[in-house]
Amino acid sequence: MSKKPDHQPIAQAQRKAQAQRQQLIAMGVVGVMVGLFFVIFMVVLSRASAGVTIGKYDRVYQAITANGSAMMGDPTTPLMVAEFADFGCPFCLSYQPTINTLVDQYVRNGQIQLIFVAQMFHQNSQIASQAALCAAKQKKFWEMHDVLYDIQSKQGTDGFTIDNIRRNAEAAFSLDSKPWFDCIASGETQSVLNSAGQFYQSLHLNGTPTLMWSGDAAAVSAFSTKVGK
């Protein structure tokens, strides 16, 4: 009597292959351009201490992803870069020249979309993150992003108070203060920040800034489907 074929090794191999693919997507190693790889891992040796240039993003597409994070760049490109960062993190401040290079060379010309996944490990980072996400509702996240790092460079995280952030933001760009204040007061962005923290932990990351990227269209779609322009 012949034995039935043992499909267990095949099933195990299939599960292993699927797990490996999921890990690759999660860790963002699919479809990376050589030039982008170089820019992302450029070593920034000196910290910014003289302030941060407030960028002008009027001609760059901005939106909010399905999970509430801010993004900019061509929404049709399959290449996504996600930055896990903390507005109170001194190393994230040091990394801003590299992020600026990434934006100027790859985001503005439509090659990638950049997503900021806010973390809250440092003093007053929560209010800073809320300030940025509430500014995103006016398509001013990235302008506020620059203002917050500028404040950190000059005043440290003690400068992250609502009134101080508002004054600096209004001096740098057009901010409609009332809905911005209302958004912060309501705490409506807190669930987004909690989810961003859980996402960070699920990937077993261990520091900010961390950049991840993916050229897998399905992974990009799942992470960055737009809620509208």
Side-chain angles (χ1 to χ4, degrees), residues 190-222:
Q190 191 58 52
S191 61
V192 173
L193 295 173
N194 292 341
S195 295
Q198 292 168 2
F199 187 31
Y200 175 94
Q201 292 176 359
S202 72
L203 296 174
H204 304 291
L205 304 182
N206 59 6
T208 55
T210 295
L211 271 68
M212 290 182 157
W213 61 98
S214 176
D216 186 287
V220 172
S221 177

Coordinates of all heavy atoms in Angstrom, one line a residue, residues 190-222:
Q190 N -4.5 62.4 19.2 CA -3.9 61.5 20.2 C -3.9 60.1 19.7 O -2.9 59.3 19.9 CB -4.5 61.7 21.6 CG -3.7 61.0 22.7 CD -2.2 61.4 22.8 OE1 -2.0 62.6 22.9 NE2 -1.3 60.5 22.7
S191 N -5.0 59.7 19.1 CA -5.1 58.3 18.7 C -4.1 58.0 17.6 O -3.6 56.9 17.5 CB -6.6 58.0 18.2 OG -6.9 58.8 17.1
V192 N -3.9 59.0 16.7 CA -2.9 58.8 15.7 C -1.5 58.6 16.3 O -0.8 57.8 15.8 CB -2.9 60.1 14.7 CG1 -1.8 60.0 13.7 CG2 -4.2 60.2 14.0
L193 N -1.2 59.4 17.3 CA 0.1 59.3 17.9 C 0.3 58.0 18.6 O 1.3 57.4 18.6 CB 0.3 60.5 18.9 CG 0.4 61.9 18.2 CD1 0.4 63.0 19.3 CD2 1.6 62.0 17.3
N194 N -0.8 57.5 19.3 CA -0.8 56.2 19.9 C -0.5 55.1 18.9 O 0.3 54.2 19.2 CB -2.1 56.0 20.7 CG -2.2 56.9 21.9 OD1 -1.3 57.5 22.4 ND2 -3.5 57.1 22.4
S195 N -1.2 55.2 17.8 CA -1.0 54.2 16.8 C 0.4 54.2 16.2 O 1.0 53.2 15.9 CB -2.0 54.4 15.6 OG -3.4 54.2 16.1
A196 N 0.9 55.4 16.0 CA 2.3 55.6 15.5 C 3.3 54.9 16.5 O 4.3 54.3 16.0 CB 2.6 57.0 15.3
G197 N 3.1 55.1 17.8 CA 3.9 54.5 18.7 C 3.8 53.0 18.7 O 4.9 52.3 18.8
Q198 N 2.6 52.4 18.6 CA 2.4 51.0 18.5 C 3.1 50.4 17.2 O 3.7 49.3 17.3 CB 0.9 50.7 18.5 CG 0.3 51.0 19.9 CD -1.2 51.0 19.8 OE1 -1.8 50.7 18.8 NE2 -1.9 51.3 20.9
F199 N 3.0 51.2 16.1 CA 3.6 50.7 14.9 C 5.1 50.6 15.1 O 5.7 49.7 14.6 CB 3.2 51.7 13.8 CG 3.7 51.3 12.4 CD1 3.8 50.0 12.0 CD2 4.0 52.3 11.5 CE1 4.2 49.6 10.8 CE2 4.4 51.9 10.2 CZ 4.5 50.6 9.8
Y200 N 5.7 51.6 15.7 CA 7.1 51.7 16.0 C 7.5 50.4 16.8 O 8.5 49.7 16.5 CB 7.5 52.9 16.7 CG 8.9 53.1 17.2 CD1 9.8 53.8 16.4 CD2 9.3 52.6 18.4 CE1 11.1 53.9 16.9 CE2 10.6 52.7 18.9 CZ 11.5 53.4 18.1 OH 12.8 53.5 18.6
Q201 N 6.8 50.1 17.8 CA 7.1 49.0 18.7 C 6.9 47.7 17.9 O 7.7 46.7 18.1 CB 6.2 49.0 19.9 CG 6.5 50.2 20.9 CD 5.6 50.3 22.0 OE1 4.7 49.5 22.2 NE2 5.8 51.2 22.9
S202 N 5.9 47.6 17.1 CA 5.7 46.3 16.4 C 6.8 46.0 15.4 O 7.0 44.8 15.1 CB 4.4 46.4 15.6 OG 4.5 47.3 14.5
L203 N 7.5 47.0 15.0 CA 8.7 46.8 14.1 C 10.0 46.6 14.8 O 11.0 46.4 14.2 CB 8.8 48.0 13.1 CG 7.7 48.2 12.1 CD1 7.9 49.5 11.4 CD2 7.5 47.1 11.2
H204 N 9.9 46.6 16.2 CA 11.1 46.4 17.0 C 12.2 47.4 16.7 O 13.4 47.0 16.7 CB 11.6 44.9 16.9 CG 10.5 43.9 17.2 ND1 10.0 43.7 18.4 CD2 9.8 43.1 16.3 CE1 9.0 42.8 18.4 NE2 8.9 42.4 17.1
L205 N 11.8 48.6 16.5 CA 12.8 49.6 16.3 C 13.4 50.1 17.6 O 12.8 49.9 18.7 CB 12.2 50.8 15.6 CG 11.5 50.5 14.2 CD1 11.0 51.8 13.6 CD2 12.5 49.8 13.3
N206 N 14.6 50.7 17.6 CA 15.2 51.0 18.9 C 15.9 52.4 18.9 O 16.8 52.6 19.7 CB 16.3 49.9 19.2 CG 17.4 49.8 18.2 OD1 17.4 50.6 17.2 ND2 18.2 48.8 18.3
G207 N 15.4 53.3 18.1 CA 15.9 54.6 18.2 C 15.4 55.5 17.1 O 14.8 55.0 16.1
T208 N 15.5 56.8 17.3 CA 15.1 57.8 16.3 C 16.3 58.7 16.0 O 17.1 58.9 16.9 CB 13.9 58.7 16.8 OG1 14.3 59.3 18.1 CG2 12.6 57.9 17.0
P209 N 16.4 59.1 14.7 CA 15.5 58.8 13.6 C 15.8 57.4 13.0 O 16.9 57.0 13.0 CB 15.9 59.9 12.6 CG 17.3 60.2 12.9 CD 17.5 60.0 14.4
T210 N 14.8 56.8 12.5 CA 14.9 55.6 11.7 C 14.1 55.8 10.4 O 13.0 56.3 10.4 CB 14.3 54.4 12.5 OG1 15.0 54.1 13.7 CG2 14.3 53.1 11.6
L211 N 14.8 55.5 9.3 CA 14.1 55.6 8.0 C 13.9 54.2 7.4 O 14.8 53.3 7.5 CB 15.0 56.4 7.1 CG 14.7 57.9 7.1 CD1 15.2 58.5 8.4 CD2 15.4 58.6 5.9
M212 N 12.8 54.0 6.9 CA 12.4 52.7 6.2 C 11.8 53.1 4.8 O 11.2 54.1 4.7 CB 11.4 51.9 7.0 CG 12.0 51.3 8.3 SD 10.8 50.3 9.2 CE 12.0 49.3 10.1
W213 N 12.0 52.2 3.9 CA 11.5 52.4 2.6 C 11.0 51.2 1.9 O 11.3 50.1 2.3 CB 12.7 53.0 1.7 CG 13.8 52.1 1.6 CD1 14.1 51.2 0.5 CD2 14.9 51.9 2.5 NE1 15.2 50.5 0.8 CE2 15.7 50.9 2.0 CE3 15.2 52.4 3.8 CZ2 16.9 50.4 2.6 CZ3 16.3 52.0 4.4 CH2 17.1 51.0 3.9
S214 N 10.2 51.4 0.9 CA 9.6 50.2 0.2 C 9.2 50.6 -1.2 O 8.7 51.7 -1.4 CB 8.4 49.7 0.9 OG 7.8 48.6 0.2
G215 N 9.4 49.7 -2.1 CA 9.0 49.9 -3.5 C 7.9 49.0 -3.8 O 7.4 48.9 -5.0
D216 N 7.4 48.3 -2.8 CA 6.3 47.3 -3.0 C 5.0 48.1 -3.1 O 4.6 48.7 -2.1 CB 6.3 46.3 -1.9 CG 5.2 45.2 -2.2 OD1 4.1 45.5 -2.0 OD2 5.7 44.1 -2.5
A217 N 4.3 48.1 -4.2 CA 3.1 48.9 -4.3 C 2.0 48.6 -3.3 O 1.3 49.4 -2.8 CB 2.5 48.7 -5.8
A218 N 1.8 47.3 -3.0 CA 0.8 46.9 -2.0 C 1.1 47.4 -0.7 O 0.2 47.9 0.1 CB 0.7 45.3 -2.0
A219 N 2.4 47.3 -0.3 CA 2.8 47.8 1.0 C 2.6 49.3 1.1 O 2.1 49.9 2.1 CB 4.3 47.5 1.3
V220 N 2.9 50.0 0.1 CA 2.8 51.5 0.0 C 1.3 51.8 0.1 O 0.9 52.7 0.9 CB 3.4 52.1 -1.2 CG1 3.0 53.6 -1.3 CG2 4.9 51.9 -1.2
S221 N 0.5 51.1 -0.6 CA -1.0 51.4 -0.6 C -1.6 51.2 0.8 O -2.4 52.0 1.2 CB -1.7 50.5 -1.7 OG -3.1 50.7 -1.6
A222 N -1.2 50.1 1.4 CA -1.7 49.8 2.7 C -1.3 50.8 3.7 O -2.1 51.2 4.7 CB -1.2 48.4 3.2

